[in-house]
Amino acid sequence: GQKRDPALPLIGFARRMTEYKRPDLLFGDIARLREVARKHAFQVVLAGIAHPADLPGLRLIEDLHKHITALAPEIPIVFLPGYDMALARHMVAGSDIWLNTPRPPLEASGTSGMKAALNGALNLSVLDGWWVEGCVEGVTGWSIDSHGASDMDALLVKLEKVVLPLYADQRERWVFMMKQAISKLGPMFNSQRMIRRYASEAYLARPRSRPGEQTWKPVGA
């Protein structure tokens, strides 16, 4: 297998391969991507599986492999097969930048980004799903906000002008952001909070009962 360069920022992208998640957005303009890499080198690790009946998703994986071949050796990119929880654990722990590019408003949540943040990875994501709440621009990570341009343009501009220069030239600020991601997002996006809110806002928050109806109360009430 190929070895990664620990000196270069590692962009991780790992999730179910399907059209609305747009795993190919980073590769929408190969020439511009090469220009970005010439200014600030980086590496990419991709992973994911498509449902056997999702033909467009399967084609996306084929296209990603074509992009990997076209960009070698200028940009080191690998696609890891057999994506599962064990592999995801290594990726969210080992990535510097966690890339998420869904087509709004189709992202239901985005739990991989939450896990990456808890490991100190900085999210670079479209403002959809959980990242609408979690993104504090330049503190917990960055948004891909097109402001009327294409999401692909916004992604490449943010990488070229903000994210990669910060990693290369302002290491203290990068580490500060890692700490902010863990401390600010960890207490908000976790299973304990999820269960607590389900219990208090969905299961226990019932309207006043009518005569003869069961009244649900919290344990110990």
Side-chain angles (χ1 to χ4, degrees):
Q2 299 184 39
K3 291 185 178 181
R4 302 296 90 195
D5 185 345
L8 296 182
L10 192 152
I11 299 175
F13 184 104
R15 53 188 50 84
R16 181 165 52 90
M17 289 287 165
T18 192
E19 276 191 306
Y20 86 87
K21 291 186 179 289
R22 299 188 294 183
D24 57 343
L25 190 69
L26 180 65
F27 307 103
D29 188 332
I30 295 295
R32 282 186 61 191
L33 191 61
R34 284 193 175 104
E35 290 179 13
V36 173
R38 278 194 288 268
K39 293 178 181 178
H40 294 286
F42 61 92
Q43 53 198 342
V44 183
V45 175
L46 307 164
I49 56 176
H51 189 280
D54 184 359
L55 297 182
L58 294 170
R59 282 194 294 269
L60 278 170
I61 295 176
E62 293 178 0
D63 291 341
L64 290 176
H65 280 88
K66 292 176 183 177
H67 296 317
I68 291 170
T69 301
L71 287 164
E74 299 151 285
I75 305 176
I77 310 172
V78 294
F79 187 101
L80 302 179
Y83 181 57
D84 58 12
M85 291 181 66
L87 180 56
R89 179 180 181 183
H90 290 294
M91 289 194 64
V92 296
S95 296
D96 298 297
I97 302 155
W98 194 256
L99 182 62
N100 189 34
T101 52
R103 182 178 292 108
L106 301 177
E107 183 71 275
S109 180
T111 52
S112 68
M114 300 176 195
K115 290 181 286 188
L118 286 170
N119 282 272
L122 299 180
N123 277 264
L124 173 60
S125 175
V126 171
L127 286 171
D128 196 18
W130 83 288
W131 198 230
V132 174
E133 294 180 69
C135 180
V136 181
E137 185 71 21
V139 178
T140 60
W142 305 272
S143 62
I144 301 170
D145 196 346
S146 60
H147 295 294
S150 74
D151 286 343
M152 181 201 68
D153 288 333
L155 168 57
L156 293 177
V157 168
K158 188 61 67 77
L159 275 175
E160 179 181 3
K161 304 293 186 183
V162 179
V163 179
L164 296 175
L166 186 74
Y167 187 92
D169 303 325
Q170 300 183 51
R171 191 62 183 168
E172 288 187 6
R173 176 69 188 185
W174 189 279
V175 173
F176 165 81
M177 289 183 63
M178 292 172 67
K179 293 177 180 178
Q180 294 303 304
I182 295 170
S183 63
K184 284 183 166 57
L185 301 178
M188 288 184 64
F189 300 96
N190 55 67
S191 57
Q192 290 95 327
R193 178 192 177 215
M194 178 187 71
I195 295 299
R196 185 170 63 248
R197 290 193 63 184
Y198 272 134
S200 63
E201 298 175 25
Y203 303 136
L204 302 179
R206 293 283 299 273
R208 187 180 297 275
S209 63
R210 297 173 182 174
E213 285 187 335
Q214 173 68 50
T215 301
W216 294 92
K217 294 181 180 180
V219 174

